[in-house]
Amino acid sequence: LIRVFRSCVLQLCREQRAISGGGKGALTPKNLMRFIILAGLTCRHFDFEKHREQQKEHFKELNQLAKGSMVDMLNDLLLFFTQSQNVGPVQVAAIQMLGQLHIKWPRLAVEPQARAVMDRAFASDSSSHKLQVLRNFLEFLRTDAKRLAKQEREDRASGREIDARALVGNTGNMSEAGVGASLMQTYLDRIIEATFASNAAPLRAAGFEVISLVLEQGLAHPLKCMPALIALCTSNDPYIRNKSLKLHQELSVKHASFIHSRDLEGVRKAYEYQRQVRGRPEDVSGYDSNANLHERPDRPAACLQFLYSLSRTRRTRRNELLSLLVKACDFDSGTAAYADANSTDIPFVRFVAENMAGLEFKYLDEVLHVIYQISSVIASSGLSLYQQLESEAKDDGGIEHD
């Protein structure tokens, strides 16, 4: 292992010197990627620093390469190969191996150089770079969860008592335990943005898994993810759809007092997601194409039925949601927003209206509340719109009254 690692590092150092000097590297991209991956995986799964002091005679060759930490030396090499002077596949391989080092040594993930690599990946137009960063996050969170679960099982099995030192905490362990939460709180918005940035299925699947782990492990405030989660509940992918519905239901039970405060943003996000999937705003429908039409052949199901079902148990919350849906269809004709209304506004209103038409109402007061809210909109905005149309018609030559 030492010889393999030394050989890989030597090749990478030669390549780094050649590229830094303005020349062309001697290795082909394919061979360079092999050396990067071999060095990265070897360093993750074999603790060189631990055995370095115990078996000094075997480490003479490696000591000639680096007097300091082997991990830091390889980390610097990988950071170099993520830069723009290298071809795309080499950058992706280097980002992947940086993720392996971050799993073993979480402190490296919060260093400015590592964050700069992640920032460049999210800011780039390359789906492969974003996908690799998301996969790094996913593996990091899964490994961290397994480590904590294993530690908890060992503590229970050994009957270890909690003393004052355990309550105060080990500084090193606490800093490493907080890396996942720090990364997610920093990059959550960009993770969500990357998840919905394109129709690339692998990118969306990886982003969804990261968002799911963030919610399950409580690494960020759930409200930050709610609009995205509501949108993913309308996905055509059965796995994403079902898991999103399950997560939404669990969060609704756990955080019933505030979890629905961003429902309207979620409705807008669901429309934008469907518009992206369908391709054109005109093709977006508020009716659920995934519903079992054999159960209710007489009427279509609402795309947002799950959202209404979660709110139905409490009358106040149910009426708030219905009021929000009706008011989403209302826009003031006297504002600049109405004057600048484009084709995306009308399809969104239709999306909301079709959802309200497809909701499964069980009680008469639900229907009456919707009628009351619609009447209020017609009495205010509807009358204003009629007067404006009447005025414009008169300017064009008058209108006829029956």
Side-chain angles (χ1 to χ4, degrees), residues 43-93:
C43 193
R44 178 193 168 181
H45 295 286
F46 184 79
D47 194 344
F48 287 97
E49 302 303 324
K50 178 180 178 181
H51 296 84
R52 196 175 187 178
E53 295 297 327
Q54 299 174 357
Q55 304 176 8
K56 294 182 179 180
E57 67 280 2
H58 296 295
F59 281 81
K60 291 180 180 178
E61 295 178 342
L62 280 182
N63 289 335
Q64 295 173 1
L65 288 176
K67 299 298 182 183
S69 170
M70 298 291 174
V71 176
D72 292 337
M73 178 191 64
L74 180 60
N75 184 59
D76 292 339
L77 283 171
L78 293 177
L79 288 171
F80 171 79
F81 287 109
T82 63
Q83 297 174 8
S84 57
Q85 60 262 45
N86 300 286
V87 296
V90 171
Q91 294 179 35
V92 172

Side-chain angles (χ1 to χ4, degrees), residues 176-377:
E176 290 189 355
V179 170
S182 175
L183 287 174
M184 293 305 102
Q185 290 170 14
T186 302
Y187 291 102
L188 183 57
D189 291 340
R190 278 173 277 187
I191 291 170
I192 294 173
E193 182 181 350
T195 304
F196 292 93
S198 68
N199 279 326
L203 190 62
R204 179 160 295 156
F208 168 70
E209 292 294 344
V210 174
I211 294 171
S212 300
L213 285 176
V214 168
L215 291 171
E216 289 171 357
Q217 297 179 17
L219 299 177
H221 199 289
L223 276 181
K224 289 186 175 182
C225 303
M226 286 314 298
L229 189 63
I230 291 172
L232 290 169
C233 286
T234 66
S235 174
N236 291 328
D237 186 316
Y239 172 75
I240 293 179
R241 180 187 179 93
N242 293 334
K243 190 170 183 179
S244 298
L245 289 169
K246 182 181 178 182
L247 277 171
H248 194 185
Q249 188 171 10
E250 291 174 354
L251 291 172
S252 297
V253 174
K254 192 181 298 183
H255 309 289
S257 60
F258 63 83
I259 203 67
H260 296 289
S261 60
R262 299 189 70 183
D263 280 354
L264 188 57
E265 294 176 58
V267 173
R268 169 64 74 171
K269 191 71 175 179
Y271 164 74
E272 292 172 354
Y273 173 54
Q274 290 298 318
R275 184 180 65 185
Q276 186 182 54
V277 171
R278 306 294 178 187
R280 298 187 309 166
E282 295 78 9
D283 295 333
V284 177
S285 172
Y287 300 121
D288 188 2
S289 59
N290 299 298
N292 188 355
L293 298 180
H294 297 290
E295 294 181 0
R296 295 293 303 273
D298 56 324
R299 56 172 295 176
C303 189
L304 299 174
Q305 177 63 45
F306 69 92
L307 193 61
Y308 185 66
S309 298
L310 291 174
S311 304
R312 179 184 287 160
T313 54
R314 298 179 60 186
R315 182 177 180 180
T316 304
R317 174 66 214 126
R318 179 192 70 199
N319 290 343
E320 286 177 359
L321 177 61
L322 292 174
S323 300
L324 284 174
L325 291 176
V326 174
K327 290 177 181 178
C329 303
D330 178 27
F331 45 97
D332 189 355
S333 61
T335 63
Y338 173 78
D340 296 336
N342 53 40
S343 58
T344 61
D345 294 320
I346 301 304
F348 172 68
V349 171
R350 188 186 66 182
F351 173 76
V352 175
E354 288 177 348
N355 268 286
M356 285 192 291
L359 291 176
E360 294 183 7
F361 297 119
K362 290 189 174 181
Y363 305 103
L364 180 61
D365 66 323
E366 297 173 306
V367 180
L368 292 176
H369 184 76
V370 173
I371 294 173
Y372 171 76
Q373 293 296 328
I374 293 175
S375 300
S376 299
V377 171

Side-chain angles (χ1 to χ4, degrees), residues 57 97 128 135 168 384:
E57 67 280 2
M97 291 303 105
S128 58
R135 285 175 173 170
V168 173
S384 176

Side-chain angles (χ1 to χ4, degrees), residues 382-400:
L383 182 59
S384 176
L385 177 61
Y386 173 77
Q387 291 173 348
Q388 182 174 347
L389 292 174
E390 186 179 44
S391 175
E392 291 178 359
K394 287 180 180 179
D395 293 339
D396 291 338
I399 66 172
E400 297 180 358

Side-chain angles (χ1 to χ4, degrees), residues 136-200:
N136 286 356
F137 285 159
L138 186 58
E139 190 172 0
F140 183 94
L141 295 178
R142 284 174 173 169
T143 305
D144 197 42
K146 289 179 182 177
R147 179 182 61 81
L148 293 174
K150 181 180 178 182
Q151 183 178 349
E152 187 178 347
R153 287 196 302 269
E154 290 175 352
D155 290 345
R156 283 202 303 264
S158 61
R160 188 181 304 168
E161 294 183 358
I162 299 177
D163 56 14
R165 286 176 297 178
L167 292 174
V168 173
N170 180 283
T171 306
N173 292 339
M174 289 175 67
S175 62
E176 290 189 355
V179 170
S182 175
L183 287 174
M184 293 305 102
Q185 290 170 14
T186 302
Y187 291 102
L188 183 57
D189 291 340
R190 278 173 277 187
I191 291 170
I192 294 173
E193 182 181 350
T195 304
F196 292 93
S198 68
N199 279 326

